[in-house]
Amino acid sequence: GRVKGRRRNNQENNSLKARANDVPAGRATPIILLEGTGGVSVFSLQFAKALGLKVICTSSSNSKLELVRKLGADVCINYSNTKAWGKKAYEISCKLRDDSSTNGRKAEGGVDTVVDVGGAATLSNAIDAVRIGGKIMMVGNLGGRGGEIKRLDKIFYKAIRIQGLVVGHKQGFEDMLKTMETHRIRPVVGKVFDLAHSKEAFSYMASDKSRFGKVVIRVSTPPSKCLSSSRPSPSLPAARDVTLSSKL
């Protein structure tokens, strides 16, 4: 029973990994590029490492890069010091690929997926970083709604797929919960606000550049009362407030 359970978990993980990066299971280990160290990027890092992906992270803060290293980031790039961080990520990706997966050929350059949170401010670098046939998932617009995007022709020369993402589908959510349960993933919480201080929480999100991980608003209703009684909740570890330093 235990062996079958492990096999089933491995099959589910391989399926998730392949679907997330459009790379058939068993081929080169996918490489993902994450921008910044906010809630989306840090949570993405936790999932990526749980599924065995290789991860390149960017930040303007060396102290934050040290934190993502502790969470498993394979390579860190300070974009304040490296303006062309997309090209840098492209070069690094060649070295990250498994030699055994290339069958003696030169390793393909470019990351498989970019999780883009900056919008127009980061899209040019994201285009430089991604491989031929790779994809850019746009999940944020922190750099503003407008701006110059260089070399748009690379999108079709490299056959890049750019997809906007606000929320996923039900099956994806259930897969996420299974992965969290299997790998005991706990989101990194940078700061918690009470419901009465929601306004301060949003101001902190918008203006405080020192934040790392998720910003949480605590509500008074116990989580158990928010769950449907007709369906058992997944057996995740009990939620608790933990400071960032203790989580790492």
Side-chain angles (χ1 to χ4, degrees), residues 92-232:
I92 292 171
S93 66
C94 296
K95 300 176 182 178
L96 283 179
R97 297 202 189 282
D98 298 330
D99 292 335
S100 59
S101 67
T102 61
N103 296 320
R105 293 173 290 134
K106 183 178 179 181
E108 180 186 20
V111 303
D112 297 283
T113 302
V114 179
V115 178
D116 184 84
V117 298
T122 54
L123 189 55
S124 294
N125 271 293
I127 291 171
D128 285 338
V130 75
R131 66 171 172 83
I132 294 174
K135 61 183 178 181
I136 299 172
M137 306 300 295
M138 297 192 68
V139 298
N141 196 33
L142 297 177
R145 296 182 178 181
E148 181 183 1
I149 300 174
K150 300 177 181 178
R151 292 301 305 272
L152 283 175
D153 55 321
K154 286 186 178 181
I155 294 175
F156 51 88
Y157 285 149
K158 297 172 74 172
I160 298 169
R161 178 154 59 97
I162 300 178
Q163 180 176 336
L165 181 63
V166 177
V167 66
H169 47 71
K170 178 183 177 182
Q171 184 60 54
F173 185 77
E174 291 177 347
D175 288 344
M176 179 191 74
L177 292 180
K178 288 179 183 178
T179 303
M180 291 181 71
E181 181 178 10
T182 300
H183 297 279
R184 299 184 69 83
I185 295 174
R186 300 289 301 277
V188 175
V189 177
K191 194 164 185 177
V192 180
F193 291 83
D194 288 326
L195 185 60
H197 299 101
S198 298
K199 184 176 180 180
E200 290 88 337
F202 283 100
S203 296
Y204 176 76
M205 274 282 293
S207 61
D208 196 313
K209 296 185 180 297
S210 67
R211 60 186 174 82
F212 183 93
K214 292 188 176 296
V215 177
V216 174
I217 296 177
R218 184 194 293 112
V219 296
S220 58
T221 304
S224 59
K225 293 185 179 180
C226 299
L227 297 172
S228 171
S229 59
S230 62
R231 184 173 185 176

Side-chain angles (χ1 to χ4, degrees), residues 59-62 65 76-85 88:
S59 176
S60 61
S61 166
N62 287 331
L65 291 177
C76 296
I77 301 173
N78 187 316
Y79 62 77
S80 290
N81 303 331
T82 308
K83 299 301 182 182
W85 50 266
K88 183 68 174 180

